[in-house]
Amino acid sequence: AFQPDQRVIGEDLEGDPGHAGPAELEETFFVMPVRFSIDEKELLSQTPLNAIWLPLPILGFATELYQVVSSIRTGECKTCYLAGGGDLLLERQNDRISVSSPPTGVSASADAAALLREAEDFRARVREFLRSRVPEMEAHPSWKDWFPDSRPPDTGSGRRE
């Protein structure tokens, strides 16, 4: 989950995100509080007693998490990079994916299909949030890389059949 922040959007619009480089957008734009938990275990808090929301660039985190979860195979261990420092380590064994947060020592395990659905849903919420608040982002050359399954916006100019 993430908490939308209009102040951040306003500041980021001043930086012209439609023309920013993909890495810059994934690492420094749209930084908002993000929460990621499995079985009530908070995987993003910096310490076990810290707040459960971690400021992260939502575009980068959503697309990175989805890419890692969708591509991990049985027996593999992959890293989900967290902008600003830190990583989540994911390891798949059959139908389970274990996620651990080295900075906090917190680990949890989830059904692989359920975790993939959650990653897809999170990415879709970020996509819709950006579409509604920063519509010029859809014209960015990397939009189709971040959201390859994205439908083009309805412009109302299509033929009716």
Side-chain angles (χ1 to χ4, degrees):
F2 70 97
Q3 296 175 335
D5 187 331
Q6 274 308 118
R7 181 189 54 79
V8 168
I9 292 294
E11 291 172 0
D12 286 345
L13 286 175
E14 291 176 13
D16 194 15
H19 293 97
E24 184 180 10
L25 287 163
E26 293 169 18
E27 302 245 348
T28 64
F29 276 74
F30 315 118
V31 176
M32 297 180 197
V34 175
R35 181 179 183 193
F36 180 47
S37 65
I38 297 174
D39 291 335
E40 299 181 22
K41 293 181 180 177
E42 301 296 337
L43 293 156
L44 294 179
S45 64
Q46 293 299 303
T47 67
L49 301 175
N50 200 2
I52 59 176
W53 297 91
L54 180 67
L56 288 173
I58 59 172
L59 175 61
F61 181 66
T63 56
E64 170 86 356
L65 180 66
Y66 173 77
Q67 192 280 324
V68 170
V69 172
S70 67
S71 67
I72 194 168
R73 303 291 173 241
T74 294
E76 286 185 326
C77 186
K78 291 194 172 194
T79 301
C80 180
Y81 170 73
L82 302 176
D87 298 308
L88 295 175
L89 303 178
L90 290 80
E91 183 175 3
R92 183 168 180 167
Q93 292 301 323
N94 301 316
D95 293 336
R96 303 289 299 172
I97 296 178
S98 297
V99 182
S100 62
S101 175
T104 64
V106 175
S107 295
S109 177
D111 175 75
L115 187 57
L116 178 58
R117 283 190 303 274
E118 290 297 321
E120 287 172 334
D121 184 53
F122 182 72
R123 188 176 63 130
R125 287 193 311 270
V126 168
R127 179 184 63 226
E128 294 312 310
F129 175 78
L130 292 174
R131 272 185 171 157
S132 68
R133 306 282 174 82
V134 194
E136 62 271 20
M137 284 295 297
E138 280 191 277
H140 194 282
S142 294
W143 184 266
K144 65 185 176 307
D145 297 326
W146 297 315
F147 308 109
D149 52 348
S150 184
R151 298 180 324 277
D154 181 12
T155 60
S157 61
R159 293 182 309 147
R160 295 186 180 227
E161 298 186 26

